[in-house]
Amino acid sequence: MVDLDSDPTRLIEIVEIGKQLLMTRGALTTFSIANDVAKYFAIIPAMFLAFYPQLQALNVMGLASPQSAILSAITFNALVIVALVPLSLRGVRYRAVGAAALLRRNLLIYGLGRIVVPFVGIKAMTSP
Protein backbone atom coordinates (compact mmCIF):
# COMPACT_ATOMS: atom_id res chain seq x y z
CA MET A 1 0.00 0.00 0.00
CA VAL A 2 1.30 3.41 -0.95
CA ASP A 3 0.54 6.27 1.38
CA LEU A 4 0.61 9.98 0.65
CA ASP A 5 3.92 10.47 2.48
CA SER A 6 5.85 8.24 0.08
CA ASP A 7 4.02 9.30 -3.12
CA PRO A 8 2.63 12.86 -3.16
CA THR A 9 1.32 12.44 -6.71
CA ARG A 10 -1.41 10.22 -5.24
CA LEU A 11 -2.99 13.38 -3.84
CA ILE A 12 -3.60 14.61 -7.40
CA GLU A 13 -5.29 11.32 -8.26
CA ILE A 14 -7.47 11.56 -5.16
CA VAL A 15 -8.55 15.10 -6.11
CA GLU A 16 -9.34 13.96 -9.67
CA ILE A 17 -11.46 11.07 -8.37
CA GLY A 18 -13.31 13.49 -6.09
CA LYS A 19 -13.97 15.83 -9.01
CA GLN A 20 -15.18 12.93 -11.13
CA LEU A 21 -17.60 11.86 -8.38
CA LEU A 22 -18.94 15.42 -8.07
CA MET A 23 -19.36 15.70 -11.85
CA THR A 24 -21.17 12.37 -12.00
CA ARG A 25 -23.50 13.40 -9.19
CA GLY A 26 -24.19 16.73 -10.92
CA ALA A 27 -24.84 15.03 -14.25
CA LEU A 28 -27.25 12.54 -12.69
CA THR A 29 -29.08 15.32 -10.83
CA THR A 30 -29.39 17.45 -13.97
CA PHE A 31 -30.47 14.37 -15.91
CA SER A 32 -33.15 13.57 -13.33
CA ILE A 33 -34.54 17.12 -13.06
CA ALA A 34 -34.78 17.50 -16.83
CA ASN A 35 -36.51 14.14 -17.12
CA ASP A 36 -39.03 15.14 -14.45
CA VAL A 37 -39.82 18.42 -16.25
CA ALA A 38 -40.69 16.56 -19.43
CA LYS A 39 -42.65 13.95 -17.51
CA TYR A 40 -44.77 16.62 -15.83
CA PHE A 41 -45.48 18.26 -19.18
CA ALA A 42 -46.85 14.90 -20.29
CA ILE A 43 -48.88 13.99 -17.23
CA ILE A 44 -50.32 17.21 -15.78
CA PRO A 45 -52.05 18.64 -18.89
CA ALA A 46 -53.51 15.27 -19.85
CA MET A 47 -54.64 14.56 -16.29
CA PHE A 48 -56.50 17.84 -15.73
CA LEU A 49 -57.70 18.45 -19.30
CA ALA A 50 -61.21 17.15 -18.51
CA PHE A 51 -61.62 19.66 -15.67
CA TYR A 52 -59.69 22.59 -17.12
CA PRO A 53 -59.93 22.70 -20.93
CA GLN A 54 -57.68 25.79 -21.01
CA LEU A 55 -54.76 23.49 -20.12
CA GLN A 56 -54.85 22.28 -23.73
CA ALA A 57 -52.22 24.95 -24.42
CA LEU A 58 -49.81 23.04 -22.14
CA ASN A 59 -50.48 19.76 -23.91
CA VAL A 60 -47.51 20.33 -26.23
CA MET A 61 -47.20 16.63 -26.98
CA GLY A 62 -50.85 16.32 -28.03
CA LEU A 63 -51.47 13.32 -25.79
CA ALA A 64 -55.01 12.04 -26.21
CA SER A 65 -55.94 10.56 -22.85
CA PRO A 66 -54.72 10.79 -19.28
CA GLN A 67 -54.29 7.01 -19.19
CA SER A 68 -51.95 6.93 -22.18
CA ALA A 69 -50.00 9.94 -20.91
CA ILE A 70 -49.45 8.47 -17.46
CA LEU A 71 -48.67 4.98 -18.76
CA SER A 72 -46.18 6.22 -21.34
CA ALA A 73 -44.50 8.61 -18.87
CA ILE A 74 -44.11 5.87 -16.25
CA THR A 75 -42.83 3.38 -18.83
CA PHE A 76 -40.37 5.91 -20.21
CA ASN A 77 -39.22 6.76 -16.68
CA ALA A 78 -38.55 3.07 -15.96
CA LEU A 79 -36.45 2.84 -19.13
CA VAL A 80 -34.51 5.96 -18.14
CA ILE A 81 -33.67 4.48 -14.75
CA VAL A 82 -32.23 1.41 -16.48
CA ALA A 83 -30.24 3.71 -18.79
CA LEU A 84 -28.83 5.62 -15.81
CA VAL A 85 -27.20 2.56 -14.24
CA PRO A 86 -24.23 2.44 -16.67
CA LEU A 87 -23.70 6.19 -16.33
CA SER A 88 -23.76 5.88 -12.56
CA LEU A 89 -21.30 3.01 -12.52
CA ARG A 90 -18.94 4.41 -15.15
CA GLY A 91 -19.16 8.03 -14.08
CA VAL A 92 -18.50 11.19 -16.03
CA ARG A 93 -14.91 11.41 -17.17
CA TYR A 94 -12.92 14.25 -15.61
CA ARG A 95 -11.15 16.58 -18.00
CA ALA A 96 -8.94 19.45 -16.97
CA VAL A 97 -10.96 22.24 -18.61
CA GLY A 98 -12.41 25.44 -17.26
CA ALA A 99 -15.46 25.37 -15.05
CA ALA A 100 -17.56 27.43 -17.49
CA ALA A 101 -16.81 25.15 -20.43
CA LEU A 102 -17.47 22.07 -18.33
CA LEU A 103 -20.77 23.45 -17.03
CA ARG A 104 -21.87 24.45 -20.54
CA ARG A 105 -21.06 20.98 -21.91
CA ASN A 106 -22.81 19.11 -19.08
CA LEU A 107 -25.90 21.33 -19.23
CA LEU A 108 -26.10 20.80 -22.98
CA ILE A 109 -25.74 17.01 -22.77
CA TYR A 110 -27.46 16.16 -19.51
CA GLY A 111 -29.87 19.10 -19.23
CA LEU A 112 -31.09 20.11 -22.67
CA GLY A 113 -30.66 16.60 -24.02
CA ARG A 114 -32.74 15.20 -21.18
CA ILE A 115 -35.52 17.70 -21.78
CA VAL A 116 -35.79 16.87 -25.49
CA VAL A 117 -35.42 13.07 -25.31
CA PRO A 118 -38.38 12.42 -22.96
CA PHE A 119 -40.70 14.53 -25.11
CA VAL A 120 -39.75 12.45 -28.14
CA GLY A 121 -39.83 9.15 -26.23
CA ILE A 122 -43.16 9.72 -24.52
CA LYS A 123 -44.75 10.96 -27.74
CA ALA A 124 -43.41 7.92 -29.60
CA MET A 125 -44.91 5.59 -27.00
CA THR A 126 -48.36 7.14 -27.33
CA SER A 127 -48.42 7.35 -31.14
CA PRO A 128 -50.30 4.56 -32.93
Side-chain angles (χ1 to χ4, degrees):
M1 182 165 144
V2 178
D3 59 27
L4 294 177
D5 292 334
S6 63
D7 189 6
T9 59
R10 298 283 295 165
L11 186 59
I12 294 171
E13 292 175 20
I14 292 170
V15 170
E16 286 179 357
I17 290 170
K19 287 181 179 181
Q20 181 178 2
L21 289 171
L22 283 172
M23 288 172 48
T24 301
R25 185 178 72 186
L28 291 171
T29 302
T30 305
F31 194 90
S32 178
I33 290 170
N35 189 51
D36 288 345
V37 167
K39 188 171 46 177
Y40 296 140
F41 265 100
I43 293 174
I44 291 175
M47 205 167 69
F48 293 112
L49 200 56
F51 305 109
Y52 303 104
Q54 60 269 31
L55 283 179
Q56 182 62 34
L58 292 177
N59 192 5
V60 294
M61 288 188 251
L63 301 175
S65 70
Q67 292 85 4
S68 68
I70 292 170
L71 183 62
S72 61
I74 290 172
T75 304
F76 188 81
N77 200 43
L79 294 173
V80 165
I81 290 171
V82 171
L84 281 178
V85 171
L87 176 65
S88 301
L89 294 175
R90 182 190 52 169
V92 175
R93 189 175 330 147
Y94 170 71
R95 293 184 187 107
V97 297
L102 192 61
L103 178 64
R104 190 172 34 254
R105 177 185 177 275
N106 284 345
L107 282 177
L108 181 66
I109 293 172
Y110 301 108
L112 183 62
R114 286 310 308 157
I115 286 182
V116 172
V117 170
F119 279 103
V120 173
I122 291 170
K123 181 65 179 168
M125 286 184 183
T126 59
S127 297

